[in-house]
Amino acid sequence: MPADVKNQKFTMLFDWFDQGGDGVLTHDDFRAMGALFGRLAAPDDRENASAMRSAFEEWWRVLLPHGDANGDGQIDRKEFLDLMVADVTAPEHFEKAVLAIADALMHALDTDHDGVLSKDEYVRMYDALRIPPVHSEDAFRRLDRDGNGVIGHDEFRTAITEFYLSSDENAPGNWLIGPIQQGT
């Protein structure tokens, strides 16, 4: 199974990004994701809401020219899976297309501005992003690597990096959007 771990994660990600549910990714899907993530920021936190919308716009700018193999302005599942391996996870794109979202998300979720995510702040993300709440407690425990009861910025970035780059099916970062679905 380890050879298929990235494919399973990227398949889950495709389904998550496909906000229109039509089996293809479009600019509208990424705008919807940016808006969804933007709503995680406090109502008066326009800076982080804007940063998340901008980060998803950057994702789309990276995805479209590299992933739209047939030139139809959409990215289908196969194009997305190929693109994730070839381009998005490449060092020259990973920081600005993925970690920029992680940084903005961390700041937006940290509603008490103490530099870490409490369990309540983390669970709030799961709820807002429509990830089944049954997964949030286990995910929090796995991502809190030092066991101090909070997820620090480095722990959060490590989890994001593992989700996108690790082939280890047991990597804690794989729990960012719930457990890896078997057989996808």
Side-chain angles (χ1 to χ4, degrees), residues 117 138-152 155 172:
L117 296 180
D138 199 21
F140 185 85
R141 182 184 52 76
R142 290 169 189 260
L143 301 183
D144 177 16
R145 292 171 187 265
D146 61 11
N148 67 349
V150 295
I151 297 172
E155 288 173 315

Side-chain angles (χ1 to χ4, degrees), residues 37 45 47-49 51-52 55 59 94-110 115 117 152-158 160-161:
F37 273 76
D45 186 1
E47 181 181 345
N48 283 312
M52 288 207 262
W59 257 75
F94 189 71
E95 181 76 31
K96 68 181 180 177
V98 176
L99 291 180
I101 292 172
D103 293 340
L105 181 58
M106 176 78 183
H107 291 292
L109 292 173
D110 181 17
L117 296 180
H153 189 252
D154 288 341
E155 288 173 315
F156 196 66
R157 274 184 142 234
T158 297
I160 298 283
T161 300

Side-chain angles (χ1 to χ4, degrees), residues 2-111:
D4 296 328
V5 170
K6 282 187 183 178
N7 190 47
Q8 290 170 332
K9 291 187 288 188
F10 296 155
T11 295
M12 289 171 60
L13 197 60
F14 179 91
D15 291 341
W16 197 44
F17 282 167
D18 183 13
Q19 292 288 295
D22 56 2
V24 294
L25 301 180
T26 65
H27 195 190
D28 286 344
D29 290 319
F30 279 76
R31 284 187 192 119
M33 287 300 292
L36 180 65
F37 273 76
R39 287 190 298 275
L40 291 172
D44 62 340
D45 186 1
R46 293 174 192 215
E47 181 181 345
N48 283 312
S50 176
M52 288 207 262
R53 287 189 302 274
S54 295
F56 275 98
E57 284 293 321
E58 182 60 32
W59 257 75
W60 184 249
R61 282 191 289 274
V62 168
L63 288 175
L64 190 62
H66 297 282
D68 183 14
N70 61 8
D72 65 356
Q74 302 175 2
I75 298 172
D76 65 31
R77 186 179 303 273
K78 181 180 179 339
E79 289 170 331
F80 180 76
L81 295 175
D82 292 346
L83 174 64
M84 289 302 294
V85 172
D87 287 301
V88 173
T89 59
E92 65 270 21
H93 296 147
F94 189 71
E95 181 76 31
K96 68 181 180 177
V98 176
L99 291 180
I101 292 172
D103 293 340
L105 181 58
M106 176 78 183
H107 291 292
L109 292 173
D110 181 17
T111 55

Side-chain angles (χ1 to χ4, degrees), residues 163-177:
F163 180 83
Y164 285 92
L165 303 181
S166 178
S167 294
D168 176 4
E169 65 185 288
N170 296 312
N174 291 339
W175 281 77
L176 278 174
I177 60 173

